[in-house]
Amino acid sequence: MPSHYWDESLAERYRHFRYEFADRSLARRTVIIAGGTGGLGAATVALLAREGAEIVAGYRANHDRAEALRSAIEDQFDRQIVLVQGELTSADVRRSYLDAAERLAAERSAPLAGAAIFPGDPARVAFEALDRKTMEASLEANYVGPVLFAKEIGEAMERAAGGSLVLLASMQAVAAFPSSLNYGAPKAALAHAARILAQQWARVRVNVVAPGSTVAGMGGASAQAGKYDRYVEDGAIPRFGRPEDVARAVRFFLEPDNYTTGQVLVVDGGLTLRRDK
């Protein structure tokens, strides 16, 4: 018995090698980039602005940097971004993101299509200095805030037309690194939470991008200090990661017709695979 879901017209196109590849599919759609003014998030904002997306970009406290990004995006792409300030652990801040997205949807006919959640904290605490206070602070910043925000955005999109959520973890979420207990473990929990959320909804996809050693973002200080030089020198990675590498990975998952959910994409140049060779 033939499938009820078979599309013969589609099959006929493929027999003649006629394919459809989306172009600027996020134009006139709203995307939330929490942490969008940071080193990696800003590149994602620029990539989406170039495409014509309507963007709500958030930042924790650096108002001057946020305004500088707003001006740069307007100058380079003639796009206006909306800024939201505050910690994701605050329910009022999370509500402000959604309110801003709803206003854009109404004023610019740009429905909410997705969100990327960048905020976190490097939680650099020496092993011997770990205590309840430092571990709870890392858990709040790297797990609780992002997961609650993902839950709230996902619920909003599931009630509407669906969409895509991208959580930002770290290569330390998939591989054990020395002195990463306070950071790697919450990021690993975040990646597992994304899989659970991906099961939760029918019309919302949830995926994770896990950057490696990059020249921007939270990893920038380590790269600049030479912490990862040996991996370039011994050929484990060809270079340090760049913000554009992460932005392209996030954009892949944000594609409205993407067929992927519940996955972790490690953007590390192969470091976690080759670091012990």
Side-chain angles (χ1 to χ4, degrees):
M1 181 176 180
S3 169
H4 295 295
Y5 307 103
W6 181 258
D7 186 336
E8 180 57 30
S9 63
L10 192 64
E12 180 64 16
R13 283 202 296 106
Y14 294 154
R15 292 186 192 110
H16 292 87
F17 311 109
R18 295 198 300 270
Y19 306 100
E20 292 184 3
F21 297 103
D23 182 39
R24 293 172 56 87
S25 56
L26 285 173
R28 297 178 300 282
R29 301 194 192 205
T30 295
V31 181
I32 294 171
I33 308 294
T37 68
L40 301 179
T44 304
V45 168
L47 180 60
L48 297 180
R50 186 180 71 169
E51 185 172 346
E54 303 292 347
I55 300 166
V56 179
Y59 66 102
R60 180 181 293 136
N62 193 334
H63 179 74
D64 290 344
R65 179 183 173 91
E67 287 296 339
L69 175 66
R70 193 206 312 250
S71 296
I73 294 300
E74 186 170 358
D75 290 344
Q76 294 178 42
F77 306 108
D78 194 27
R79 307 295 304 171
Q80 299 255 338
I81 66 173
V82 177
L83 295 174
V84 173
Q85 188 269 328
E87 298 274 2
L88 283 188
T89 50
S90 165
D92 289 341
V93 171
R94 297 195 302 271
R95 183 67 249 174
S96 294
Y97 276 100
L98 285 167
D99 287 346
E102 288 170 3
R103 286 194 299 272
L104 284 177
E107 296 170 3
R108 305 183 190 178
S109 299
L112 179 61
I117 304 175
F118 281 84
D121 189 285
R124 293 188 176 96
V125 179
F127 183 81
E128 58 274 11
L130 286 178
D131 56 21
R132 176 178 290 275
K133 183 178 180 180
T134 57
M135 294 188 75
E136 286 179 346
S138 177
L139 193 65
E140 283 285 309
N142 292 306
Y143 179 78
V144 176
V147 169
L148 287 176
F149 194 36
K151 173 182 178 292
E152 291 160 8
I153 300 174
E155 288 173 337
M157 291 194 296
E158 183 73 7
R159 290 192 298 267
S164 172
L165 282 170
V166 185
L167 294 168
L168 271 292
S170 164
M171 66 179 176
Q172 295 185 37
V174 300
F177 283 77
S179 301
S180 68
L181 184 62
N182 202 36
Y183 178 70
K187 287 296 189 180
L190 184 69
H192 191 63
R195 298 185 185 97
I196 296 171
L197 289 172
Q199 290 182 318
Q200 179 70 30
W201 298 302
R203 296 190 293 175
V204 176
R205 291 169 288 103
V206 187
N207 293 285
V208 177
V209 172
S213 174
T214 60
V215 297
M218 287 186 288
S222 295
Q224 186 176 18
K227 181 178 177 180
Y228 294 102
D229 282 3
R230 61 193 175 100
Y231 297 120
V232 179
E233 291 163 358
D234 66 16
I237 54 176
R239 57 172 172 81
F240 295 139
R242 298 167 184 153
E244 295 92 336
D245 298 321
V246 177
R248 285 190 293 266
V250 172
R251 174 60 184 85
F252 165 73
F253 285 134
L254 287 174
E255 171 59 40
D257 199 33
N258 191 293
Y259 196 54
T260 309
T261 193
Q263 303 302 309
V264 178
L265 176 55
V266 183
V267 185
D268 71 346
L271 195 153
T272 53
L273 291 174
R274 307 190 194 106
R275 65 195 176 108
D276 296 325
K277 289 181 65 175

